[in-house]
Amino acid sequence: QVQLVESGGGLVQGGESLRLSCEASARTFSHFAVGWFRQAPGKNREFVATIKWSGGNTDYADSVKGRFTISRHNAKNTVYLQMNALKPDDTAVYYCAADAMDYYSDLRDPGMYGYWGQGTQVTVSS
């Protein structure tokens, strides 16, 4: 069983930055792909970014490309989401998710992930 704990959310003004962390309880986390998703009130959960277990392959939603960076430190069982140039549209609860994936897995699909954190609120004021 893998437990994920997100942290780093908060209230910021537009244009500012935040760094979210997702810490896992299990050493096997280093072999998992990890995704960040977000859900705004009244909207579906949407893909934000993902990183494979090796850290060499990343993918981003078009809405955050160039502003957000996902990275991982496997020795610390932690994945980060650096968010720069935040916009009010980025306001949402942010979730990290993890699971073992094969080469053909669609890492943008939240249904592919079996382990989820409790979420951390990010609020961006205009």
Side-chain angles (χ1 to χ4, degrees), residues 3-99:
Q3 292 183 325
L4 305 176
V5 178
E6 302 99 334
S7 61
L11 171 64
V12 297
Q13 293 188 336
E16 294 184 340
S17 299
L18 281 174
R19 188 176 80 159
L20 305 184
S21 298
C22 172
E23 186 172 357
S25 60
R27 285 179 291 178
T28 51
F29 182 70
S30 64
H31 298 288
F32 285 6
V34 177
W36 282 98
F37 296 82
R38 66 187 182 186
Q39 188 166 17
K43 295 187 177 181
N44 293 329
R45 189 168 297 188
E46 65 172 358
F47 164 75
V48 176
T50 187
I51 187 167
K52 291 191 176 180
W53 69 271
S54 65
N57 294 86
T58 58
D59 186 27
Y60 298 91
D62 288 344
S63 59
V64 307
K65 199 172 293 184
R67 300 188 297 122
F68 291 12
T69 303
I70 189 171
S71 61
R72 68 189 301 161
H73 194 311
N74 285 336
K76 294 184 177 180
N77 286 346
T78 302
V79 169
Y80 305 99
L81 185 68
Q82 177 66 44
M83 305 187 296
N84 298 329
L86 283 161
K87 305 174 182 179
D89 284 348
D90 295 318
T91 296
V93 177
Y94 283 70
Y95 300 89
C96 70
D99 215 324

